[in-house]
Amino acid sequence: MTGRGEPPEGAPEGLPGGGEDEYRSVVFDESFVRAARLQEFSAQERMGEHARAVRSLPARHFRTGSRAVIALIVLIAIAFATAVYMGLSNPYQPPVGRRAEPLRSTVIPLAPRGAVPGGKAADLFATSPAAHFRTGAAGINLPMTRRTENFSDSQVTTALTTVKDYLVASSLDPDVLTGGSVRPVGLLLDPDQANQFDRSMTRSADDGQHAATGWLVRFDPTKVTLADPDIRVQGTLAYSEAGSDTLEVVSDHTFTYALRPAVSGPQKAGGVSLFTVRRELHFRFDREDLRLHRLELRTSYVQAGPQACSTDTTGTLHPLLAGERAAYRGPAGTDPYATGRPTTALCGTLEVSSRLSRAPEGSPGPPSPTAGAPRSHP
């Protein structure tokens, strides 16, 4: 075998040093060139793997791909049709065309038997049946909630919470109580009752539908003012189904306010008196109301005193203040602190105020909650 870099015919002649020359590995003589074989590839061979790129796909691949696309389109169409059908047939959608009914309200003034007792707000509260009541919104407690047949636990809680918000806005908000604003109450009502509510606020009427005091508690700010911002509250909330798409809530609460005359200058001793309002309200909710945090007020039954029986209570309540008397009393005694179904009358007698009025100022009044127990009336 020849050495490294040596041509097939041996080392070339005439070169000094022969194979020891340092440039020997890069010198090619004529015999080396002739011995080299040249090989030229054909055009197809030169294309190599690139020839596969221009080959046509078999017809069966095209047919398989078309069927897959068609199947995908059909599946999407079926899914869309199913979604539309479920949306139209969903039993939880609100009934089409249902409108809120007008409010029916009754406001009964309660007249005292004697002079309205006066004193300091703290003393009056301590000697009244409201002594054990809670203050403000804390007195409006939600009952234990449980799902119904067609409404979830969260939907029942939403209904009760909305009613509590309404009671706070319509019975405890200082701006509403003094006639400065009605917006907090109106925002919670079903829009179908908006016109009736607005007319009741601007053009009150004793027709059972447009008494402002059927919607909220309101005093004439030129006559009275709150002597104590801590309003005493006690009552109950109850709920039930009225159909597969309707939930009803009934509230029955007694609110006790400490009032004084709205006059400038120093107040006379004993200028503060208590005023009691019992409100039994019936609310209705459909699923849209629950979703939008609003309600429909169906009926409102209100007893409020001490007031004179001849007083027009449709626009505002007109409390009799400390030392004042009613010119005429109603036919039967009515206790706003009593529980149970309120009695219906055009005017009633405020039994609690009559007992307080007979007690000397500063002396203990009815200390026990039994002072508000139910009584039978002729």
Side-chain angles (χ1 to χ4, degrees):
M1 184 175 179
T2 60
R4 179 177 180 271
E6 191 171 309
E9 298 180 359
E13 298 179 358
L15 290 177
E20 298 179 358
D21 190 291
E22 61 179 338
Y23 296 106
R24 180 181 179 185
S25 61
V26 298
V27 176
F28 305 97
D29 61 358
E30 185 176 347
S31 62
F32 184 89
V33 173
R34 285 197 304 270
R37 296 180 60 188
L38 298 178
Q39 181 179 0
E40 182 177 1
F41 294 100
S42 66
Q44 184 175 0
E45 291 174 333
R46 287 197 300 271
M47 290 177 65
E49 294 297 327
H50 296 287
R52 299 178 183 178
V54 298
R55 294 176 183 174
S56 300
L57 293 174
R60 62 185 181 88
H61 293 292
F62 176 77
R63 290 194 298 271
T64 302
S66 299
R67 286 197 296 268
V69 171
I70 294 173
L72 180 61
I73 294 175
V74 171
L75 288 175
I76 294 175
I78 292 174
F80 179 77
T82 302
V84 172
Y85 173 78
M86 293 298 293
L88 293 176
S89 62
N90 189 349
Y92 295 104
Q93 295 294 324
V96 179
R98 180 188 178 278
R99 293 183 60 84
E101 298 179 9
L103 166 67
R104 302 188 305 273
S105 62
T106 303
V107 182
I108 304 298
L110 303 179
R113 289 187 181 277
V116 177
K120 295 181 179 179
D123 295 337
L124 292 173
F125 278 129
T127 57
S128 75
H132 62 284
F133 287 8
R134 293 189 177 184
T135 301
I140 306 174
N141 299 314
L142 303 186
M144 294 294 294
T145 60
R146 183 178 301 175
R147 65 167 293 118
T148 63
E149 182 179 354
N150 296 287
F151 291 89
S152 66
D153 179 80
S154 62
Q155 289 175 315
V156 173
T157 301
T158 296
L160 294 171
T161 302
T162 305
V163 169
K164 179 174 180 177
D165 292 342
Y166 184 88
L167 293 174
V168 170
S170 63
S171 308
L172 301 175
D173 189 322
D175 288 338
V176 174
L177 294 176
T178 57
S181 175
V182 297
R183 182 175 174 80
V185 180
L187 288 176
L188 292 170
L189 293 172
D190 189 295
D192 291 340
Q193 293 187 316
N195 290 336
Q196 183 188 12
F197 176 77
D198 292 340
R199 179 182 169 185
S200 300
M201 297 303 109
T202 57
R203 292 178 294 163
S204 300
D206 187 14
D207 58 2
Q209 291 189 339
H210 298 96
T213 48
W215 301 91
L216 48 82
V217 177
R218 184 164 68 177
F219 303 109
D220 186 347
T222 64
K223 302 293 182 61
V224 298
T225 185
L226 286 174
D228 189 336
D230 294 334
I231 300 165
R232 307 301 174 90
V233 186
Q234 180 170 282
T236 60
L237 288 170
Y239 64 92
S240 62
E241 280 194 11
S244 60
D245 291 296
T246 306
L247 192 66
E248 287 190 346
V249 177
V250 178
S251 69
D252 188 356
H253 289 80
T254 297
F255 303 86
T256 304
Y257 307 85
L259 305 177
R260 63 157 44 101
V263 296
S264 58
Q267 300 295 327
K268 297 181 180 180
V272 177
S273 59
L274 298 185
F275 188 83
T276 304
V277 179
R278 180 181 176 185
R279 308 180 73 197
E280 183 182 294
L281 309 177
H282 290 240
F283 303 91
R284 175 171 288 184
F285 296 85
D286 57 27
R287 298 185 186 277
E288 189 73 1
D289 293 331
L290 294 173
R291 186 179 68 85
L292 298 176
H293 189 70
R294 68 190 189 193
L295 51 80
E296 174 188 345
L297 181 55
R298 297 291 311 284
T299 62
S300 171
Y301 187 88
V302 180
Q303 297 174 331
Q307 296 185 97
C309 287
S310 58
T311 300
D312 180 7
T313 58
T314 57
T316 60
L317 300 174
H318 300 277
L320 294 173
L321 301 176
E324 296 182 339
R325 296 174 179 268
Y328 170 76
R329 291 195 303 271
T334 303
D335 189 348
Y337 294 96
T339 59
R341 183 71 180 176
T343 58
T344 302
L346 296 178
C347 187
T349 299
L350 187 63
E351 292 287 352
V352 172
S353 291
S354 65
R355 292 198 300 274
L356 289 177
S357 65
R358 291 196 296 268
E361 185 175 338
S363 64
S368 170
T370 58
R375 290 174 176 78
S376 59
H377 304 292

